[in-house]
Amino acid sequence: MRTLISGLVAAALLAASPAMAEVRGSVRLDQPGARVNPDVYGQFMEQLGSGITGGVWVGEGSAIPNTRGFRNDVVAALKALEVPVVRWPGGCYADTYHWRDGIGPRGGRPVTLNRWWGNSEEDNAFGTHEFFDFAELIGAKTYLSINMGSGTPAEAAQWVEYITSDTRSTLAQERRANGRERPWKIDYLGLGNEPWGCGGRMRASYYNDLMRQYVGFVMPAGTTAVAAGPNAEDYDWTRTLMRDGRDNFDALSLHYYTLPTGDWARKGASVGFDETEWDATFRQAYRIEEMIQRHDAIMDEYDPTARVGLAVDEWGAWYDPTPGTVAGHLKQQNSLRDALLAAVHFNIFHRHADRVRMSNVAQMVNVLQALILTDGPRMTLTPTYHAFMLYKPFRQAAVLPVTLEEGGGSRVDVSAARGDDGVVHVALVNLDPSAPAEIRLRLDGGHGRQVSGQVLTSGRMDAHNTFEAPNAIAPAAFQGARIEDGVLIATLPAKALVVLEVR
C-alpha cells in the first residue's frame, strides 16, 4: 500500500499529460498508524558560504538588527516555523572542525581555512556557545556532529563534557568562565559525517569499529546516537552496521540529494528550466523512496521491532550554483519546484514513519535548498519555507493509509494523518506542470463534514521570491475542495501543493 502511490506517480512522470487527470482512491480514517515524528521537519546548518555567517550570525556590532549577534528577521521566521531540531557544524565541515577553535573571546579565536567549501577563511565567531544559544533562541533541539575524520575520541569526549557536565570539572569550569553556567543538552549526537567520503574515506567495517570505540567514550545520558549511514544506495554499508554495530546507536543516517540531471558535473539550473528538466527532477526525487524501503528491509532483518530509526539528515535539491557566485558556497535560487520537491519528500517520510524518525533539509539559510535567503540587511522566505509551514499540522499526527487506483496518468501524490484532536490532514501534490487534476478520496471508516485548506502554486514552474518581490509566491486560501456522500473531492491546479483540514 505505501509503495503504490510513489510507483504510480513515478510511472506517470514518464507519460504525456492528459487534459485533466482524474484520480480516485481512499483514506482509511479508522486505521491510524505510526505517528509523524516532528523531527522529520528538521534543519541543517553548516559553516559554508553565507549559510551561517551573514545568514544567521552577523555579530552584536552589526547594523543589521540582531539579538546577541543573531539576525532578528531570520530568528523570527524560524521561530514562526517552530523548527524542531538543528544539525551543526556539518556536513563535511564537521570532520575538519576542532571545537576549541570556536570557544573563548571571539577576538582571540583562530582563523582557519574551510578546505571543503571554497577554502574560505573562517574566523570561528560562530562556535559552540553560539550554536547552543541559537538553538535555545529559536526553541529547537540540538543535533551535534562530532569530528571522527580528523579528530580523536579524547577530543570528542572533552567537547561533550564541556557542553553537558554539571560538575566542577576543569572543562565545566571553563564553560562557565566562557559565559555559560548551566550545561546544555545534546539531543542527538552524530558519530561522524559521510565517513565513506569527505569524513575519512573509510570502509564500512573500519567505520563500524571506530564508531564503537567513540561510543564508549562520548555518549552522554539521554542523547540519541546517530551512526553515519549509507550514501544513497550503498546497501552493504547498512548491512555491515546493522549486523555488527546496531547495539551502539539509536539511528542510522541516510544522505541523498536530488540532481535533475543525475550528473554531479552538470546538475542543472535552479531557474529557467523546461518541462523535461522538471519531470527529470521528480523522477530523481522519487528514488529516495526505494532507497528507504530497501534500507528499511535490511534494518528489519536485524531490528524487527524498529528500535533503530532512520535519520535522513541530508536531503534536498542540488543545482549548479547561481552564476557569479563562489561555486563552493552552494548558493542557488529556490522556486515552486523546490516546494513541491519538499512536499514529495514529506509524503514519503510519512509513508515510512515507522522507521523515518528525523530528517534535516540541506540547508537552512542561503545554501542549497534553503528556506531563507539573505543579502546584507535584506531577507526573503522561499517557497520551500512555505511548504514546511503548510506541513506543520502533520507533526505528531497518526498516519492514515491512502490507496490510489491505477490509471489516468496521474501525477498526484497524497499523504494523510489524523491529529489527537480528530482533525484529518491531507496533503495533495500535483506534479503535472501544465494540467490540473481532480481527486476523489473515499473517507472509509469514518466521515467528514467540513473541509478547508491552503494552496501553494503559480503560473510559472520556476516562480520564486526575490528581495524586491518577497511575496511573489506564497500560500493562499484554497476553495476547490468539498465533501459529497463521504467522498473528499478536490480540483488541484497544475504544479501545486494543497494541504486540507477535514473535520
Side-chain angles (χ1 to χ4, degrees):
M1 180 240 351
R2 69 184 185 183
T3 64
L4 179 61
I5 294 173
S6 62
L8 291 176
V9 177
L13 287 167
L14 298 172
S17 300
M20 182 166 81
E22 295 182 358
V23 185
R24 296 177 183 271
S26 65
V27 181
R28 292 294 321 193
L29 302 184
D30 57 347
Q31 296 181 9
R35 290 182 178 270
V36 177
N37 192 318
D39 295 348
V40 161
Y41 301 97
Q43 305 292 309
F44 172 34
M45 62 191 303
E46 184 170 7
Q47 191 63 42
L48 193 173
S50 57
I52 294 176
T53 304
V56 170
W57 172 261
V58 291
E60 296 97 324
S62 174
I64 297 172
N66 68 86
T67 298
R68 299 190 301 280
F70 304 104
R71 295 181 65 123
N72 288 345
D73 50 3
V74 171
V75 166
L78 296 173
K79 289 177 73 172
L81 196 60
E82 298 181 272
V83 174
V85 58
V86 180
R87 179 176 181 239
W88 175 86
C92 290
Y93 187 76
D95 279 303
T96 61
Y97 184 70
H98 299 284
W99 67 275
R100 283 199 165 276
D101 292 343
I103 64 170
R106 295 191 193 97
R109 297 180 189 179
V111 175
T112 55
L113 297 180
N114 193 333
R115 62 163 299 184
W116 294 114
W117 306 119
N119 216 34
S120 301
E121 294 181 359
E122 305 291 356
D123 62 10
N124 288 290
F126 190 97
T128 299
H129 287 251
E130 291 76 19
F131 169 65
F132 282 91
D133 188 12
F134 173 69
E136 287 185 342
L137 193 59
I138 65 172
K141 294 179 184 177
T142 58
Y143 180 4
L144 189 75
S145 294
I146 60 172
N147 180 349
M148 285 180 59
S150 62
T152 65
E155 180 184 14
Q158 289 166 4
W159 194 14
V160 169
E161 181 181 332
Y162 179 91
I163 292 166
T164 66
S165 178
D166 62 356
T167 69
R168 309 302 291 179
S169 75
T170 298
L171 285 165
Q173 291 291 70
E174 185 177 11
R175 182 195 71 237
R176 294 183 179 99
N178 285 332
R180 174 71 181 195
E181 173 63 31
R182 293 179 293 108
W184 291 290
K185 185 177 188 302
I186 302 172
D187 295 290
Y188 294 91
L189 190 71
L191 301 163
N193 170 77
E194 298 187 358
W196 32 264
C198 62
R201 300 166 64 186
M202 304 175 195
R203 296 183 301 273
S205 58
Y206 179 87
Y207 169 75
N208 180 69
D209 288 342
L210 187 64
M211 177 267 295
R212 292 172 57 154
Q213 178 188 19
Y214 268 75
V215 166
F217 289 101
V218 305
M219 287 307 303
T223 294
T224 298
V226 183
N231 177 20
E233 297 165 306
D234 187 350
Y235 304 110
D236 289 338
W237 186 282
T238 295
R239 183 171 297 281
T240 298
L241 264 64
M242 290 301 298
R243 183 188 63 223
D244 301 335
R246 64 185 179 277
D247 293 335
N248 297 280
F249 53 86
D250 307 300
L252 187 67
S253 72
L254 171 65
H255 291 182
Y256 176 68
Y257 287 95
T258 297
L259 282 61
T261 65
D263 180 357
W264 285 97
R266 183 188 173 279
K267 295 177 280 292
S270 60
V271 293
F273 47 84
D274 59 18
E275 288 193 14
T276 298
E277 198 156 332
W278 168 282
D279 288 346
T281 301
F282 290 103
R283 284 198 299 273
Q284 293 287 345
Y286 273 104
R287 291 178 59 203
I288 195 172
E289 184 145 32
E290 181 181 358
M291 293 175 203
I292 290 173
Q293 290 168 331
R294 293 185 62 180
H295 287 298
D296 187 11
I298 294 169
M299 296 172 79
D300 279 345
E301 293 180 34
Y302 303 96
D303 178 36
T305 63
R307 181 193 70 82
V308 177
L310 194 61
V312 189
D313 60 14
E314 287 189 32
W315 66 269
W318 194 323
Y319 307 123
D320 294 331
T322 299
T325 64
V326 177
H329 289 179
L330 308 186
K331 200 173 183 71
Q332 61 189 41
Q333 188 49 267
N334 191 288
S335 74
L336 173 62
R337 176 177 62 169
D338 299 294
L340 302 194
L341 186 142
V344 163
H345 278 73
F346 296 149
N347 286 355
I348 291 170
F349 298 155
H350 294 174
R351 289 195 279 273
H352 301 276
D354 55 339
R355 185 69 80 172
V356 178
R357 315 274 172 77
M358 177 171 66
S359 86
N360 307 85
V361 68
Q363 291 185 9
M364 180 182 280
V365 183
N366 286 338
V367 174
L368 297 178
Q369 191 174 340
L371 282 77
I372 298 171
L373 300 177
T374 69
D375 178 31
R378 301 186 296 177
M379 183 200 81
T380 188
L381 306 177
T382 71
T384 294
Y385 178 96
H386 294 310
F388 269 78
M389 186 66 78
L390 288 174
Y391 273 84
K392 279 178 66 175
F394 283 87
R395 301 182 188 192
Q396 205 54 40
V399 176
L400 300 173
V402 176
T403 302
L404 298 185
E405 299 172 4
E406 296 190 45
S410 167
R411 303 187 188 190
V412 175
D413 196 323
V414 185
S415 176
R418 188 179 68 201
D420 288 338
D421 57 1
V423 176
V424 173
H425 307 283
V426 182
L428 305 163
V429 186
N430 182 11
L431 295 177
D432 195 307
S434 56
E438 181 182 85
I439 184 164
R440 293 172 174 262
L441 293 174
R442 296 189 316 276
L443 302 177
D444 292 340
H447 58 271
R449 295 186 178 89
Q450 297 177 331
V451 60
S452 60
Q454 290 184 288
V455 59
L456 183 67
T457 189
S458 175
R460 291 171 41 214
M461 292 184 296
D462 67 347
H464 55 276
N465 294 325
T466 65
F467 302 114
E468 295 75 23
N471 297 306
I473 175 170
F478 181 66
Q479 308 297 336
R482 65 189 188 278
I483 296 174
E484 291 183 0
D485 299 324
V487 177
L488 173 63
I489 304 170
T491 302
L492 311 177
K495 51 187 176 303
L497 165 62
V498 172
V499 178
L500 301 176
E501 282 190 359
V502 178
R503 297 176 180 270

